[in-house]
Every structure is written in C-alpha cells, then in structure tokens.
Amino acid sequence: MLRTHTCGQLNISNLGETVTLCGWVQKSRDLGGTTFIDVRDRYGLTQLVFNTDTDVQLREQARELGREFVVKVTGKVLERSNKNLKIPTGEIEIAVTELEVLNAAKIPPFLIEDETDGGEELRARFRYLDLRRNPIRNNLVLRSKMAQEVRKYLSELDFIEVETPVLIKSTPEGARDFVVPSRMNPGEFYALPQSPQTFKQLLMVSGFDRYFQIVKCFRDEDLRADRQPEFTQIDCEMSFITQEDILNIFEGLTRQLFRTVKGLELDEFPRMQYADAMRLYGSDKPDTRFGMQFVELNHIVKGKGFGVFDNAELVVGINAKGCAAYTRKQLDELTEFVKRPQIGATGLIYARHNDDGSIKSSVDKFYNEEELAKWSAAFETEKGDLILILAGQTDKVRKQLNELRLEIGGRLGLRDKDKFSPLWVVDFPLLEWDEESGRYHAMHHPFTSPKPEDIAMLDTDPGNVRANAYDLVINGTEIGGGSIRIHDRALQSLMFKHLGFSPEEAQKQFGFLMDAFEYGAPPHGGIAFGFDRLASIFAGLDSIRDVIAFPKNNSGRDIMIDSPSTIAEAQLNELKIKSVVS
C-alpha cells in the first residue's frame, strides 16, 4: 500500500507516529513562515503543516500545490494548537518530512466542496469530480450499506440470489422497451427487461421458492425526479405463501433497514385500501406525514344555483389549518397553481373561518351563513382555517386536489424529510380502462391474480375486479409494489382475453410462461422495491439522481460521456439496420 493510514483515521492516540497519507489537496493556507494544506480522501480530511524553519525547500514545494493535486506525504503526527472538534482528525496534524506529487490537476470547473458553485449541468458534465464531494459520496456509501443489509436480511431467510437475463423478449404491456438489434438474427431484436417478472415466476416453477436479486431494469418513458431510464430494483419472489406473508416479510426488511441504517425504530405499518386512498387523498401513494384528508361536499353544496358545483360529478375540498390569513395574492397563486396544464383544474373556491367566527367564501352570492356553517361543520374548521374546494369529474378532481394538498403541505412545512410515514396500500383494481386504445390494461401487470371472489366479475364487471396486489408507500412515494401471481394456464388465458390479446398473440408473447404453468406451477407471489427511490428517501433527497453514481438527465442523456450517440455506418450495415430520422 502507498499509505499507512487514510485521511480520516488518525487521532490523538497516534501522536508521535510516523505515517504516510495519500489523497487530494482540498485547500492551502499560507500563514507567515508556515503553510497548511488539507488533504482529503473518501474517509476524511487531515491537516498537513510545512514550516520554513524545518525545511524551506519542502515548504516551497508545498506552496506550488494546487487544488485537487494528488499527493503522497510522510510525516509525524503532532497535536494541533487550534483544534477543530467538528472533524474526527481535528485534534492532530502531520508535520510533513516527505512530499511526492502523484499527479497534478487542472483547476476544477467548480468547487469540490459540500456547498459548491457548480450548476447541475456542469456537475453532470464532470460527474467524476462531483462524486468527490462529501454529500454525493455519502449518498453512495449509504446506498452501499443499504444493499449489504438487504442481502443480509434476505439471505438469513433462505432467499437465493439469482441473476436473470438482460437480453430478453419485447412485451407489449407496461412502458416502452429499450430494444437491442441482433447481429446473428437480422431483423430481430432483444429487449432490455423492464423487470425480471416472467423469469422470477419461472424460477418459482423451477422450485426456487425464495428468490431475490438487486437488479438493473430499463424503461423508455418520460423522465422526472424519481425516474431514470435505467434503475435498480430489489426484486423478490416466494412460493407457497399468502399476501400476508409477503407484507410481513418485506415490512420486516424495511424496518430492518431503518433500524440498521437510519437508527430509527418504526411501528407496524398501517394498511389502507386503494379505494380509501383515492377517496381521502386522491392518490394511490398518499403522503400521510400530515392529515388534511379530503371532504366530499355533494350532499351539502348542490342545488343552490351555483353551476360549477351543480354540474360537477364531485365537489371535494381540504381544510388548510391556520391559512385563513392568506392574502388575495396568495390565493391567486394557489388558483394559478391548480390551473396549470399539468394539473388542469378550471378554478378554486375558498372559504375563510375568520377570527370573529364568521365564514366568508368566494361564492357568498350563492350560499348564506347557515349553509356556510354546514361547510365549516363538514371540514371541522376552527378560527383561522381556510377551506379550499375543487369540482369536476371524480377521478380528475381527486388527482387535482391531491396536488393542491401536497402544495399546501409543503408551504406549511408538513412534509418533513426527517419524518417517515410508511403504509401498505392494498386491494388495487385489477384492470384500468384506457380511453386511447379503447380497452382495459393491467394496472400492475398481466400476471397479477384477481381476488378469488371477484373472478366471476371478469366477464360482467371487469372494472370492479380487485387484484391481490399491494404497494409500499413512504412519504407519498411508491417504494415497492407486488402481487400474488396467476399460476394456472386457464386463469392466465382468461386474463389475456380481457386484456385484448387473441389466443395467438398471447401464445406468441407469453407461450413459454403458459407452457410452464402446465408442469406444476406452485402458488407464488412477490414484490419489487425501487432501490433508488428508497435510497433517496433515506438520504433526504427529492431526486434519485444523487443516489446513482452516473445518472442521466431529463432528456435521458449522459452528458459526461455524450450518450446516446450515433454509431458508424459499418456497424449499422453489420446489423442490417438503416437509420432514418424524420
């Protein structure tokens, strides 16, 4: 080893020792006849001291060092006169006797500091420099520790880690596939897996009754803060189990991660039915760190001559506690917020519960004091509260009010990143109607089992069939989801029929799985956690990018290596592909 210790290892117990450190120059300070240099590696930072009285030439050599130079130094550990107790090495310094520059460095394009002057795009361009900063490096260390704990927990429960293929078959359900041309099979393509779903089911057929892997998945979909084109799942499957078994085991995994990584002991996770989540929060991933549940008003407000309410399928609102003092400007901002195209509301109705006890609304023309008192009773308002109401088509208005609720929660400081509120959302619909294609799609995936008592409704009322499906939600983010799977060919064929597949299409796409079900497939089910999302919640981040070593930007580009990029004509010819960009 070139070094005897790391830059975060030495302390007062090492006084008098001769040591060798290697690392990067963080900063340099000249004070009279002495030069102090902070040298850094991933373990920490140590102060070096070069003194004119001791070695003039060595001090002059040190003064030539620039930021991010890679150096090797040897010297004696001394006690610092001006101690820095904020860092582990802050009581000591190294009186350097030997200095070797292992590599010089250009001036970095931004400060390699916890608080940097580099913008997001610049830091992405020089990601290898950004990774030297403590906040980013600490995120990856956190992620690594989480992965180790996942493997430890599942291995102790007899789960077997099995790698599944990366080059697979394209399937029509879910997000768009990334496809890979096959040189040996011209005109044919592999797809990168959106998840190892069919393979983990085949492992259950094979008798591997407890499988897991921490695996890369790929989806060609529009990106946002919690999405990347390639992402990582903690993927798991079990045989001979019930839904309750899966919830208990993977709630245990989550609580173990919080205990060992965050030092937090969580209570048992509550359960919430999908229908209740949508009715009370307008979201299948409700943020339950705060209340502000929805209150439905159809029975109170309709029939009073106010067309916005009378013509709406649903009138629903929230009580923003303590917000009655909002100014007209603030209320206009909220109105513009809900009218943004991505939310799509047509307007916002409000009512204040004033300090004198009166209720004043933006629609007083249509509602008298007695009627507004009913509003107050429904929302259980107190003096100083603000009622915010939206109206419209049920599904749309619930989603709109969910966005408003989260915005108000953020403004009131109720979405505390140091508070964690997990829950299971259960009993999802099996199918959801897609207006564009004019048919039902699987809400989770085509292999999700319906509730046994609802199977008869597949032919008569498919929209109300419930799935044996469940999601783990933490702080308004879907962390994981799974289901009990279909494990017999007849039911799987019926499911494909209701998803609009002809028998021939189903056989072409999924014949290998259907055939496997005829050779003794056990009852099985599983779950997949979004590892990047879970790591970002542990790190207190809004985006998953900074828990990924080399992420893509919102356009799906890696601007550091300039990818994706064109390929040579010779490669295209070899693949029998012609590229035409319209």
Side-chain angles (χ1 to χ4, degrees):
M1 298 289 290
L2 295 182
R3 61 191 178 188
T4 60
H5 297 78
T6 70
C7 296
Q9 190 173 358
L10 298 170
N11 56 49
I12 203 74
S13 67
N14 301 104
L15 289 181
E17 294 181 19
T18 298
V19 299
T20 300
L21 304 181
C22 295
W24 287 261
V25 172
Q26 180 73 23
K27 62 176 64 173
S28 176
R29 304 177 301 283
D30 272 346
L31 299 175
T34 305
T35 296
F36 295 98
I37 289 177
D38 293 338
V39 64
R40 176 200 78 235
D41 61 14
R42 81 171 175 92
Y43 303 96
L45 179 146
T46 300
Q47 179 173 286
L48 312 177
V49 58
F50 300 83
N51 198 294
T52 301
D53 295 338
T54 305
D55 192 325
V56 174
Q57 185 177 352
L58 188 62
R59 190 213 171 188
E60 289 304 312
Q61 186 183 356
R63 295 179 74 184
E64 297 298 316
L65 297 178
R67 280 180 175 263
E68 302 306 311
F69 274 44
V70 186
V71 297
K72 174 185 175 185
V73 297
T74 299
K76 182 175 287 189
V77 181
L78 304 179
E79 186 171 2
R80 282 176 63 165
S81 57
N82 58 331
K83 293 185 171 73
N84 178 4
L85 300 182
K86 294 180 180 179
I87 61 174
T89 61
E91 293 186 278
I92 59 95
E93 61 190 8
I94 310 300
V96 178
T97 55
E98 297 177 36
L99 168 63
E100 179 183 352
V101 176
L102 300 177
N103 213 332
K106 294 168 62 176
I107 298 173
F110 54 86
L111 287 175
I112 313 297
E113 302 273 6
D114 290 3
E115 297 295 330
T116 183
D117 58 351
E120 187 172 332
E121 186 167 344
L122 182 64
R123 290 187 291 112
R125 168 71 178 82
F126 294 93
R127 182 64 170 178
Y128 47 86
L129 297 180
D130 200 30
L131 287 169
R132 292 182 187 175
R133 297 195 305 116
N134 286 326
I136 309 299
R137 183 177 59 247
N138 291 343
N139 291 340
L140 295 182
V141 171
L142 172 75
R143 181 186 177 113
S144 174
K145 185 175 182 181
M146 292 175 68
Q148 292 173 28
E149 290 295 334
V150 167
R151 287 191 164 94
K152 179 182 176 183
Y153 177 89
L154 294 174
S155 296
E156 288 177 352
L157 292 176
D158 289 333
F159 280 79
I160 300 172
E161 187 168 6
V162 182
E163 292 180 290
T164 52
V166 174
L167 297 175
I168 66 167
K169 185 185 184 77
S170 181
T171 57
E173 292 291 320
R176 298 180 192 88
D177 289 324
F178 284 102
V179 295
V180 181
S182 171
R183 177 185 59 81
M184 292 181 288
N185 301 277
E188 296 184 319
F189 296 81
Y190 301 105
L192 302 181
Q194 296 184 30
S195 78
Q197 181 61 48
T198 53
F199 288 99
K200 64 182 182 180
Q201 290 192 254
L202 290 171
L203 285 170
M204 297 302 103
V205 177
S206 303
F208 290 77
D209 66 326
R210 293 192 170 198
Y211 140 92
F212 87 98
Q213 66 176 321
I214 300 178
V215 58
K216 280 284 190 184
C217 301
F218 308 85
R219 292 178 187 170
D220 185 6
E221 57 188 350
D222 294 337
L223 304 183
R224 59 191 188 202
D226 63 350
R227 278 185 184 168
Q228 284 275 296
E230 52 181 311
F231 57 96
T232 304
Q233 285 185 349
I234 306 169
D235 197 57
C236 309
E237 198 81 2
M238 303 172 69
S239 295
F240 307 116
I241 42 76
T242 65
Q243 175 174 304
E244 193 65 23
D245 297 319
I246 292 175
L247 299 191
N248 288 335
I249 286 175
F250 291 98
E251 179 174 323
L253 169 61
T254 309
R255 294 173 69 186
Q256 175 78 356
L257 287 172
F258 273 100
R259 182 182 305 116
T260 57
V261 178
K262 295 288 288 181
L264 297 175
E265 196 68 53
L266 299 185
D267 295 332
E268 290 186 10
F269 298 177
R271 313 278 176 89
M272 183 182 296
Q273 291 195 340
Y274 170 87
D276 290 334
M278 298 305 296
R279 178 176 57 85
L280 296 173
Y281 298 97
S283 171
D284 59 3
K285 46 182 185 294
D287 187 342
T288 53
R289 283 174 292 183
F290 62 104
M292 215 179 293
Q293 292 182 348
F294 292 5
V295 175
E296 298 185 358
L297 298 168
N298 284 22
H299 62 294
I300 295 176
V301 301
K302 283 185 175 264
K304 308 297 181 183
F306 182 46
V308 172
F309 287 172
D310 290 346
N311 298 325
E313 187 175 357
L314 177 66
V315 181
V316 63
I318 54 174
N319 179 1
K321 301 292 292 181
C323 293
Y326 269 24
T327 64
R328 183 55 188 255
K329 180 181 178 182
Q330 289 174 300
L331 291 169
D332 287 345
E333 286 175 356
L334 292 178
T335 302
E336 290 307 310
F337 173 81
V338 298
K339 291 170 71 173
R340 291 159 55 196
Q342 55 267 52
I343 297 178
T346 56
L348 176 65
I349 307 299
Y350 63 86
R352 307 175 194 266
H353 191 145
N354 295 317
D355 289 340
D356 63 5
S358 64
I359 312 294
K360 294 295 182 182
S361 81
S362 55
V363 287
D364 280 352
K365 177 180 176 181
F366 300 94
Y367 298 92
N368 59 35
E369 289 184 16
E370 182 181 345
E371 289 161 342
L372 290 175
K374 294 179 181 178
W375 294 21
S376 174
F379 286 96
E380 298 181 351
T381 63
E382 300 172 318
K383 294 176 181 179
D385 291 349
L386 177 68
I387 297 171
L388 299 171
I389 300 173
L390 297 177
Q393 191 272 330
T394 298
D395 290 342
K396 289 181 180 179
V397 79
R398 282 175 172 167
K399 291 176 182 177
Q400 291 160 0
L401 189 58
N402 169 59
E403 296 294 335
L404 180 60
R405 174 182 178 270
L406 295 178
E407 174 69 12
I408 295 294
R411 292 187 178 206
L412 296 178
L414 301 176
R415 305 180 71 186
D416 183 354
K417 292 179 182 178
D418 293 323
K419 180 180 177 181
F420 301 96
S421 182
L423 77 154
W424 290 104
V425 179
V426 299
D427 290 352
F428 281 79
L430 182 71
L431 307 169
E432 58 183 344
W433 182 257
D434 180 65
E435 292 288 349
E436 190 173 326
S437 61
R439 67 180 180 90
Y440 282 104
H441 288 260
M443 179 166 273
H444 281 76
H445 53 65
F447 316 107
T448 299
S449 175
K451 294 278 187 185
E453 60 270 28
D454 289 359
I455 291 176
M457 289 197 298
L458 277 170
D459 288 322
T460 59
D461 191 9
N464 282 320
V465 176
R466 296 167 300 157
N468 265 327
Y470 33 84
D471 280 358
L472 175 62
V473 177
I474 302 177
N475 294 359
T477 298
E478 178 194 333
I479 295 301
S483 65
I484 301 299
R485 323 301 188 190
I486 297 170
H487 68 279
D488 69 87
R489 181 166 189 142
L491 183 55
Q492 188 64 72
S493 297
L494 181 63
M495 182 68 169
F496 285 141
K497 172 188 171 184
H498 285 283
L499 292 173
F501 288 82
S502 68
E504 294 74 23
E505 288 171 332
Q507 183 64 30
K508 180 180 179 181
Q509 293 291 338
F510 302 107
F512 63 93
L513 185 63
M514 305 274 278
D515 293 344
F517 285 168
E518 295 185 321
Y519 289 92
H524 59 281
I527 193 169
F529 281 25
F531 189 37
D532 311 293
R533 292 182 182 179
L534 187 59
S536 69
I537 283 181
F538 272 55
L541 302 172
D542 293 322
S543 170
I544 65 174
R545 288 184 194 168
D546 280 341
V547 294
I548 298 172
F550 300 102
K552 308 290 190 294
N553 67 13
N554 280 342
S555 300
R557 297 194 66 83
D558 184 332
I559 61 176
M560 181 184 67
I561 63 172
D562 190 25
S563 172
S565 59
T566 57
I567 62 174
E569 192 70 27
Q571 286 180 283
L572 291 173
N573 292 337
E574 190 174 33
L575 293 167
K576 306 295 190 293
I577 289 176
K578 184 176 181 180
S579 177
V580 179
V581 180
S582 57

